[in-house]
Amino acid sequence: RFSRGRTLSMTIWILTPAAAALLTLGLLTVFRSPPWSPWKLAILAGEFGHWLALPSALLAGAAWSAEPGPGGATATLLGMAAAALFLKPAWQAARLARPLPKRLREVFGDWTGDGYPAFTWRELFGAGESAAPSPSTIEFAPGLPLDLYRPVTTGKRLSPCVIVIHGGGWDNGDRRQLPGLNHWLVQRGYAVAAISYRLAPAHRWPAQRDDALAAIAFLKARGPALGVDPARLVLLGRSAGGQIAQAVAYTARDPAIRGVVAFYAPSDLIFGYVNTHENDMLRSPTLMRQLLGGPPDRERAAYESASPIFHVTPDAPPTLLLHGVNDSIAWHRHSERLAERLAAQGVPHLNLLLPWATHAFDFNLRGPGGQLTRYALAWYLARVTEPKGTKTQDLDTELRGSRQENKEA
């Protein structure tokens, strides 16, 4: 009896810390990562946590079986709480999915779609996306390459093109980031141009904007030869790349830019500078100073030039914003404030906030955030890249006109 009791005690001493560790990880679906922590663990908790729910529940069951009395109660409760937290993102995604078609329809107009739902539990445990053909690397400006992914089955038709601008705090990152979304877009019939741009601190703003404009000019000039429709371009950027995409889309006044999509992007760098501190997770003030030449009180013109929120006008292209509320790198208030400015100017837009999500939540396209992203993006791109003069494009004009009338009223 003594030996058995000692074994059970040792088992509980092992299971309790394990359950506590899982619960701590699960809490990242509720709270933002602390500045000192490895923030990518929040991606594991939020976008892959459903895989950890069952082990957490099994651990709780093992603790209760080993010692069903008070001794095992702590480990049991910790394990069950961890399982609940790991399932919370999927549950929240399912709730967000229900009104999402209506929200998209009200903003961007109707879309017949291909029948798949915005979110399913089964998809969470599916296999990864199939790879697209390897891209062609082309130099669009001296020393600046882009990777062009082309659909296979478009025949002689020119494909609308999504220009992807990578993140990395303006001083690192490259065009090969997160290629899974590029492959998914190609499978849906879009060409994808993942572009490079010059990095800070060697190259200050507006070098990054100018490089994106050079890529747009290249694709417009060479588009037909590459299978790209030069009149149907959409800018898509993540994090710092989202800021660049928005700044270009709102200042270029180019009708070929049909829309702009920004994932977890800072849209007001002055707001971002004064609402952070020197030792935050990314040293954000340092990143902004090396991009813009100094603090905003000394380089205000540069900060305003780089802040998309200052450039929104009624003729800005339709905008899709996606942001995690638990983002510890780019505060979700950036997208909320930009959405308010877009609404004030009557610009069709949707701001999809994910309550559990952190930065780079789209890493797993089958996860809770990835599924909602794919659905919103599929609807949005189908609408904004419709050829001019179609019924759906006419509906865009009607939506914009009705919003302007409501604003004036």
Side-chain angles (χ1 to χ4, degrees):
R1 290 179 181 176
F2 176 79
S3 177
R4 181 175 181 274
R6 184 176 179 181
T7 301
L8 291 176
S9 178
M10 291 180 62
T11 300
I12 294 302
W13 275 105
I14 293 172
L15 294 178
T16 300
L22 287 169
L23 178 62
T24 301
L25 180 61
L27 287 172
L28 294 177
T29 67
V30 180
F31 304 104
R32 289 190 290 175
S33 302
W36 45 264
S37 69
W39 66 270
K40 292 180 181 179
L41 287 175
I43 303 176
L44 174 64
E47 305 307 324
F48 296 91
H50 46 278
W51 289 98
L52 298 174
L54 180 58
S56 300
L58 290 175
L59 186 151
W64 185 254
S65 298
E67 191 170 341
T74 299
T76 301
L77 291 174
L78 290 174
M80 294 305 296
L85 288 174
F86 287 136
L87 290 175
K88 183 178 80 74
W91 176 74
Q92 290 179 312
R95 293 190 63 188
L96 284 173
R98 286 196 290 270
L100 185 56
K102 181 180 178 182
R103 293 179 63 191
L104 288 161
R105 185 175 296 108
E106 290 176 346
V107 176
F108 303 119
D110 200 8
W111 176 54
T112 55
D114 56 5
Y116 71 87
F119 174 84
T120 65
W121 287 83
R122 183 172 58 184
E123 180 81 0
L124 292 171
F125 302 96
E129 301 292 331
S130 58
S134 299
S136 303
T137 301
I138 307 169
E139 189 173 83
F140 67 88
L144 292 175
L146 62 79
D147 288 341
L148 182 65
Y149 301 75
R150 283 176 277 197
V152 176
T153 59
T154 56
K156 295 182 179 180
R157 291 176 298 148
L158 298 181
S159 302
C161 183
V162 180
I163 301 173
V164 177
I165 307 176
H166 69 80
W170 303 289
D171 68 349
N172 62 53
D174 63 60
R175 66 187 185 280
R176 300 180 184 88
Q177 285 180 349
L178 301 178
L181 185 64
N182 301 344
H183 299 162
W184 178 81
L185 289 167
V186 169
Q187 291 164 6
R188 298 196 65 85
Y190 298 96
V192 176
I195 71 170
S196 299
Y197 56 86
R198 289 171 291 173
L199 301 176
H203 303 280
R204 293 180 181 173
W205 185 266
Q208 297 73 22
R209 180 193 66 196
D210 294 343
D211 293 343
L213 288 171
I216 292 170
F218 174 85
L219 290 168
K220 290 173 69 175
R222 295 277 305 278
L226 298 172
V228 169
D229 188 338
R232 292 190 290 163
L233 307 176
V234 175
L235 304 183
L236 184 153
R238 298 181 177 93
S239 193
Q243 171 268 326
I244 297 169
Q246 291 172 340
V248 171
Y250 297 156
T251 59
R253 309 290 193 271
D254 187 344
I257 301 175
R258 297 292 192 88
V260 58
V261 182
F263 291 76
Y264 34 86
S267 60
D268 184 343
L269 300 191
I270 298 175
F271 173 81
Y273 193 95
V274 301
N275 283 285
T276 189
H277 55 85
E278 293 291 339
N279 296 317
D280 72 359
M281 193 166 286
L282 285 186
R283 301 178 300 109
S284 299
T286 298
L287 295 178
M288 286 183 272
R289 286 194 296 267
Q290 66 184 19
L291 174 72
L292 300 165
D297 58 353
R298 197 179 77 203
E299 303 289 344
R300 186 173 183 88
Y303 277 77
E304 290 186 358
S305 170
S307 297
I309 199 168
F310 288 101
H311 306 295
V312 175
T313 59
D315 60 349
T319 300
L320 178 62
L321 306 172
L322 304 104
H323 218 131
V325 175
N326 285 342
D327 196 323
S328 55
I329 292 176
W331 193 16
H332 70 279
R333 280 291 295 153
H334 280 280
S335 289
E336 288 184 328
R337 295 175 73 250
L338 180 60
E340 293 167 1
R341 183 65 60 90
L342 290 164
Q345 294 295 322
V347 178
H349 70 282
L350 184 128
N351 181 26
L352 183 57
L353 292 176
L354 308 181
W356 69 89
T358 187
H359 217 65
F361 60 80
D362 54 316
F363 180 83
N364 178 13
L365 290 178
R366 291 185 181 271
Q371 288 193 46
L372 295 179
T373 294
R374 288 188 306 169
Y375 187 84
L377 194 55
W379 190 308
Y380 170 83
L381 290 175
R383 292 291 292 116
V384 301
T385 62
E386 283 285 344
K388 293 292 186 182
T390 63
K391 184 176 180 180
T392 50
Q393 280 292 328
D394 293 341
L395 184 55
D396 274 337
T397 304
E398 294 171 9
L399 286 167
R400 190 185 293 270
S402 65
R403 285 181 176 80
Q404 187 64 26
E405 291 173 3
N406 292 335
K407 177 187 171 185
E408 292 172 355

